[in-house]
Amino acid sequence: MIHHHPTDDFLLALAAGRLAPGQALLVSVHLESCAACCARLHALQAVGGALLEDAEPQLLAPESLARTLERIDSPPPPARAPLARPVQGPALPAGVQWPASLRGCAISRWHWMGPGMRFARIALPQEKDGTLWALQIGPGRSLAQHSHTRLELTQVLCGSFRDGRSAFGPGDFDVTDPDVLHQPVVDEGATCVCLAYVEGKLRFEGRIAGLIGGWIGM
Ligand SMILES: [Zn+2]
């Protein structure tokens, strides 16, 4: 059961191609497991189409028709292989796979970031504003208390945590900004793996956590 979803602003911006690559990727990963947001996105797109139909006609550039016809005549892109191979990345808890949206992204091996905690870097060649991480945190472990200089998006792949604001489980999506100071604590019983997209930096409260964060570049 998914309780936390991207807002309509995120879904509309994704549909319009206006999200930064890292943000688009996290919303896409959410859509892979959330039928409610897929339906919502389709509804929003239908509304957008209806608004376009109602819009006043505008004069097009002279070459627009020729360009459109050219596109229609050009051969379609090659069809996707029917059985795509699983996304390659470091080991995940049993039964969990890397989301298909990460296809084509280079995922590093797991690196130590504290007792029971690992991180992997996910390379996004087109991303200019942020960094993408996978975090694996063991049962009962917690990330140091931190705020954010700009924005952090989180998508839970497995396991669950609470951070004082709410509880987050598999499939949940979260947005935090400079107003949020939180400490995610993983529930007992299962390891939690999240994708985290960070614009700016995390601002850790403790000195050691700050040093580790700085060393990792988070
Ligand atoms: Zn959703």
Side-chain angles (χ1 to χ4, degrees):
M1 186 70 186
I2 297 176
H3 294 102
H4 301 280
H5 306 268
T7 59
D8 285 353
D9 285 346
F10 272 108
L11 296 177
L12 280 169
L14 177 76
R18 283 192 284 104
L19 282 185
Q23 296 193 19
L25 194 130
L26 252 69
V27 177
S28 300
V29 171
H30 179 83
L31 288 167
E32 283 185 40
S33 63
C34 186
C37 281
C38 285
R40 183 95 190 131
L41 179 62
H42 287 139
L44 290 168
Q45 284 172 321
V47 172
L51 289 175
L52 273 181
E53 278 172 23
D54 289 347
E56 288 289 313
Q58 300 284 328
L59 212 56
L60 292 173
E63 69 276 20
S64 296
L65 178 62
R67 275 208 213 127
T68 306
L69 291 174
E70 227 170 69
R71 277 195 181 175
I72 291 171
D73 286 341
S74 59
R80 274 207 182 156
L83 279 176
R85 284 190 300 129
V87 173
Q88 298 297 307
L92 290 170
V96 183
Q97 291 197 331
W98 291 102
S101 301
L102 290 176
R103 198 173 302 288
C105 299
I107 310 174
S108 79
R109 66 179 176 84
W110 290 118
H111 298 272
W112 182 93
M113 66 180 286
M117 293 188 272
R118 302 273 183 278
F119 74 92
R121 288 193 181 84
I122 303 174
L124 279 178
Q126 308 298 321
E127 176 60 62
K128 301 274 187 288
D129 295 326
T131 47
L132 186 63
W133 312 84
L135 303 177
Q136 181 178 192
I137 303 177
R141 302 282 182 180
S142 62
L143 208 60
Q145 177 154 277
H146 63 273
S147 59
H148 317 80
T149 61
R150 283 166 65 191
L151 186 77
E152 181 186 23
L153 309 188
T154 304
Q155 171 69 27
V156 185
L157 299 186
C158 66
S160 57
F161 69 89
R162 1 202 110 247
D163 72 344
R165 297 177 306 143
S166 194
F168 298 88
D172 276 335
F173 180 91
D174 188 33
V175 182
T176 45
D177 62 22
D179 293 335
V180 175
L181 172 69
H182 68 161
Q183 179 169 29
V185 181
V186 172
D187 293 329
E188 296 290 349
T191 292
C192 182
V193 180
C194 294
L195 299 180
Y197 168 76
V198 180
E199 286 180 7
K201 295 275 183 219
L202 302 190
R203 214 183 260 140
F204 289 101
E205 294 284 291
R207 188 168 163 271
I208 292 177
L211 283 174
I212 292 177
W215 167 64
I216 293 169
M218 190 172 271

